[in-house]
Amino acid sequence: MNILILSAGTRCKIVDYYRELLKGEGMVIATDCSPDAPALYVADKGEIVPRITAPDYLETILQIVSRYDVRGCFSLIDPELSLLAREQELFKALGCTPMISPYPLVEECFHKAKTAGLFTRSGLSSAISCRNLAEFNAEREAGRLDFPVFVKPEDGSASMDICRVDDEDTLINLISHDDNLMIQEYMDCPEYGADCYIDMISGRLVSVFLKRKLRMRAGETDKSVSVADEKLFGQIAEFVEKAGFRGQIDIDLFRRNGEWIFSEINPRYGGGYPHAWACGVDMPSLYLNNLKGKANDVRLGGYPEGIVMMKYSELAVRRLDDAEFAALQE
């Protein structure tokens, strides 16, 4: 059974996990548009592909699926998830089942106002979100929202262009220069992340790992500590199963005065998933079971609490071939 990891970039740990599980049973093929993506050289096979915006990108990926007889695939970057969700039937026609939620849900996850609406419709508490100044002023006049606030792109990712705003003049200036910005309640309380796997066959939440974030870097969890909350796990299960999510997702939350506030959803492996793996929460095996036609049993929690994850930089090197080296001298 061969697995394709798209846009693998620097996510060498995810590649390692699947290689470890597939020893003697299959290969891990990794793709990226850059020849300097370290994960290409950790995988069993590395394929350099066009950028996802290139007209021949999808055709190139489907050719790789056919060439290596790939049975399952997933992407590790947000911009590719909508493409994978929209075109998943093309992959299935080749015998490859992408690990991705339905296209409409993936699209909702990338529009923060829609995500907030999804939480609210499901009866979950969510940070107050305003799509424009008029909505913000209405919330402010009603006494539900005031400065400071977060201003962020409505369809952004990786915490890019997010800033705290403390006064009206700054807010008006920012909004007047970018109509894609939204205004959100500033959450001055601990932040958490929940790594979740929703069975591709049964649609049940079969695994969840909760961590309190101690430090963030470039939108990813840099340091965190494992915690558990059975009541929250029940809330998450009811939400994701009713909404129809599938495969791996990552939910961002806040804890305020004992209440869980749901913030965002990443329909992919989150950058902090290695913490879950280190605590014995093996979600890659759940996907491999599904690809074999086996539904997974529900096992929520059961991991040790108080385990701290601390990321650090590693080094990968490779030798350029003569053509690559010559090109750099031009």
Side-chain angles (χ1 to χ4, degrees), residues 156-198:
S157 65
S159 295
M160 294 180 64
D161 300 322
I162 288 180
C163 64
R164 168 178 163 157
V165 175
D166 294 289
D167 61 85
E168 190 170 9
D169 288 342
T170 303
L171 179 62
I172 292 173
N173 183 55
L174 285 171
I175 297 296
S176 65
H177 286 87
D178 189 346
D179 60 7
N180 188 46
L181 294 177
M182 65 174 291
I183 307 158
Q184 195 169 64
E185 179 182 7
Y186 180 74
M187 304 300 294
D188 188 17
C189 51
E191 185 176 359
Y192 294 75
D195 297 288
C196 308
Y197 187 84
I198 302 93

Side-chain angles (χ1 to χ4, degrees), residues 12 19 71 114 156 159 185 205 220 223 259 261 306 322:
C12 297
R19 286 194 70 206
R71 300 269 67 84
K114 293 182 179 179
S159 295
E185 179 182 7
L205 176 70
E220 285 195 0
K223 293 180 174 62
E259 180 185 15
I261 311 295
D322 291 342

Side-chain angles (χ1 to χ4, degrees), residues 27 34 43-44 77 79 105 109 111 140 155 166 169 171 179-180 185 256-257 261 284 289 293 310 315:
M27 296 190 305
S34 170
D44 296 297
I77 63 168
L105 274 178
C109 292
H111 294 275
R140 193 181 185 193
D155 56 357
D166 294 289
D169 288 342
L171 179 62
D179 60 7
N180 188 46
E185 179 182 7
R256 182 174 62 189
N257 300 326
I261 311 295
N289 285 342
M310 302 160 283
L315 184 70

Side-chain angles (χ1 to χ4, degrees), residues 276-303:
W277 175 275
C279 290
V281 184
D282 176 6
M283 295 184 183
S285 284
L286 304 179
Y287 180 43
L288 296 181
N289 285 342
N290 283 166
L291 293 178
K292 296 172 183 176
K294 177 184 176 182
N296 294 287
D297 296 330
V298 176
R299 294 179 181 174
L300 306 184
Y303 52 83

